[in-house]
Amino acid sequence: MFSERFKWPAEIDELHDALDSVKDKVQTAIDRLNAEKSTLNAVRDALSTYEETMLKHFEVEEKTALPLMRAYFTPEEISPVQRKILEHAPENAMGALIFAMSPDGAKFRSDFMTVRSIPSFVWYLAFKGRLASYKKDVVAKVEAIESGKEPAKKSGWF
């Protein structure tokens, strides 16, 4: 669809491939995790590489692909594509996107949702939980690896 109207940046496809490769390395490091510190360091290093690659990917998309999409497609044309991506994105992938924009989700709500005319109540229905899951499933574990302390356990409803 995109390549019909503009030249798709090859760097984005290269970064997608790199993300797949790094994701596999993270999984391999997790699968090999045991009580030895070297395996913990391998997980930390793989996650750090994944984060660097993901942030580079977001940066390239924000600076190249998104402006091209906005220039060559109307919001009405691109909205179904974005909606499909958002609906089918894994929970932690969407949480990662929100977290990368701002850990509290404020920039996602003010920039991402506003530009796409996503009603504010959708934050509570579709996005807030994904950010919370990402923080619990990924961020807390990375922080635990970095600090050497077990993640704090929350109790109760909140």
Side-chain angles (χ1 to χ4, degrees), residues 21-82:
S21 174
V22 173
K23 183 180 77 169
D24 292 343
K25 289 177 183 174
V26 169
Q27 188 60 56
T28 299
I30 290 170
D31 291 344
R32 293 180 179 163
L33 190 61
N34 61 39
E36 293 192 24
K37 188 174 182 176
S38 63
T39 63
L40 188 60
N41 289 339
V43 171
R44 183 199 60 215
D45 293 346
L47 286 170
S48 178
T49 302
Y50 183 81
E51 178 185 35
E52 290 170 16
T53 307
M54 182 63 76
L55 291 174
K56 177 69 176 169
H57 170 261
F58 288 153
E59 178 184 0
V60 170
E61 281 193 347
E62 287 287 330
K63 290 183 178 178
T64 59
L66 291 178
L68 287 168
M69 286 176 12
R70 290 182 186 129
Y72 290 95
F73 292 91
T74 66
E76 293 78 21
E77 290 174 305
I78 206 68
S79 182
V81 174
Q82 291 175 327

Side-chain angles (χ1 to χ4, degrees), residues 1 8 15 28 31 35 53 74-75 77 79 98 105 123 130 146:
M1 170 181 176
W8 183 256
L15 285 166
T28 299
D31 291 344
T53 307
T74 66
E77 290 174 305
S79 182
I98 298 166
W123 166 254
R130 290 181 178 191
E146 290 176 343

